[in-house]
Amino acid sequence: MIQIKDVVTLSDQNEYLVVSKVDHEYRNYYYLVDINDNSNVLFLYENGEKLTEVEEPELVSKLLPMFYAKIACLL
């Protein structure tokens, strides 16, 4: 199970820090930042055993406040 602050290596061979994680509508979503290039940000969700990129901009806009609220207590 992936947790906040974990470092994961994805299929692009880049390492990403899990900045935040939220459960929304029975699905786990992740906010990841490339540890070598902070401008490389991904929003993914669990799709069975793999992570899939969120492609709907409206969903990303909805998730962003939830991601920030989740980590606000850690700052």
Side-chain angles (χ1 to χ4, degrees):
M1 180 177 250
I2 301 171
Q3 300 298 324
I4 294 173
K5 297 184 184 178
D6 284 353
V7 174
V8 296
T9 303
L10 299 182
S11 61
D12 62 3
Q13 302 306 311
N14 290 327
E15 292 182 308
Y16 293 86
L17 174 68
V18 180
V19 175
S20 191
K21 171 185 174 180
V22 295
D23 178 21
H24 175 65
E25 296 182 356
Y26 307 104
R27 183 175 276 172
N28 287 319
Y29 290 91
Y30 299 93
Y31 174 10
L32 279 67
V33 176
D34 187 327
I35 63 171
N36 295 307
D37 179 5
N38 292 341
S39 67
N40 186 11
V41 175
L42 296 175
F43 300 100
L44 307 172
Y45 65 92
E46 287 181 4
N47 185 6
E49 293 292 318
K50 63 181 184 174
L51 295 175
T52 302
E53 191 163 2
V54 176
E55 296 182 3
E56 304 85 17
E58 305 82 25
L59 179 57
V60 171
S61 294
K62 188 174 189 177
L63 291 170
L64 277 173
M66 290 187 260
F67 285 132
Y68 291 127
K70 182 77 172 191
I71 62 168
C73 63
L74 301 175
L75 300 177

